[in-house]
Amino acid sequence: MSAAISSSDQPDPTYLDRIIQDIPTLLPNHPNVVSILPITAPGGLHPNVQRIILSSGESVISKCHLFSRMTAGKPHHHLAVERATSERLIRNGCPVPAVLGAIEDLGVVILEDVGDETLDDYVQTRTPISRAGLATSAADAFVHIQE
């Protein structure tokens, strides 16, 4: 299957081939990859994060941790920390994407696609009391991760 790539700043073809190959094995109902699109961040294209459009009509986000191989097997392994952080923040009521799976040898996590709204965008639209509650929840989550 060929993936649609709309930027020359994308990862090498073997990386993309692995994303296409592995996504169906990681997700329920085994959807195929239809296209891979760049993600634009405030500073421009984010080369390590892509939106993956699936044959189910849904989308997910792939995020590559460039140094994850260096942390593999250690308590601070990037992929394990990403999963633990997301799970803890979600349990504490913070609107962050869930980790749906990982391609360990590539250092890639597959995240729920929650749209273009960032956590900061979300927080800025809340009342001061709600923002304080989210800040407390996030701080509590990070304290638990450090334990």
Side-chain angles (χ1 to χ4, degrees):
M1 171 184 291
S2 174
I5 305 300
S6 59
S7 169
S8 60
D9 293 333
Q10 294 298 310
D12 66 73
T14 56
Y15 170 85
L16 297 176
D17 290 342
R18 280 292 306 283
I19 296 289
I20 292 166
Q21 172 188 321
D22 289 7
I23 289 274
T25 66
L26 295 173
L27 300 176
N29 301 319
H30 313 292
N32 290 316
V33 172
V34 173
S35 62
I36 300 175
L37 306 171
I39 299 281
T40 303
L45 288 179
H46 198 302
N48 300 321
V49 182
Q50 292 87 28
R51 179 167 278 119
I52 311 294
I53 308 300
L54 305 170
S55 59
S56 64
E58 299 169 305
S59 61
V60 294
I61 302 297
S62 69
K63 178 180 173 185
C64 182
H65 289 271
L66 295 177
F67 301 105
S68 69
R69 289 184 192 140
M70 296 166 62
T71 63
K74 297 182 174 132
H76 58 279
H77 180 42
H78 290 171
L79 302 184
V81 169
E82 173 109 18
R83 182 181 297 274
T85 302
S86 293
E87 288 172 356
R88 180 67 68 169
L89 288 170
I90 289 166
R91 277 196 305 274
N92 284 349
C94 296
V96 298
V99 175
L100 304 174
I103 306 171
E104 291 279 337
D105 62 312
L106 288 182
V108 171
V109 291
I110 306 302
L111 302 165
E112 172 185 30
D113 187 349
V114 294
D116 293 329
E117 184 179 48
T118 66
L119 180 57
D120 183 56
D121 295 335
Y122 178 85
V123 169
Q124 296 303 324
T125 62
R126 300 302 176 251
T127 66
I129 291 172
S130 178
R131 284 196 301 262
L134 280 170
T136 300
S137 293
D140 289 346
F142 286 114
V143 166
H144 283 95
I145 289 167
Q146 295 298 318
E147 294 176 343

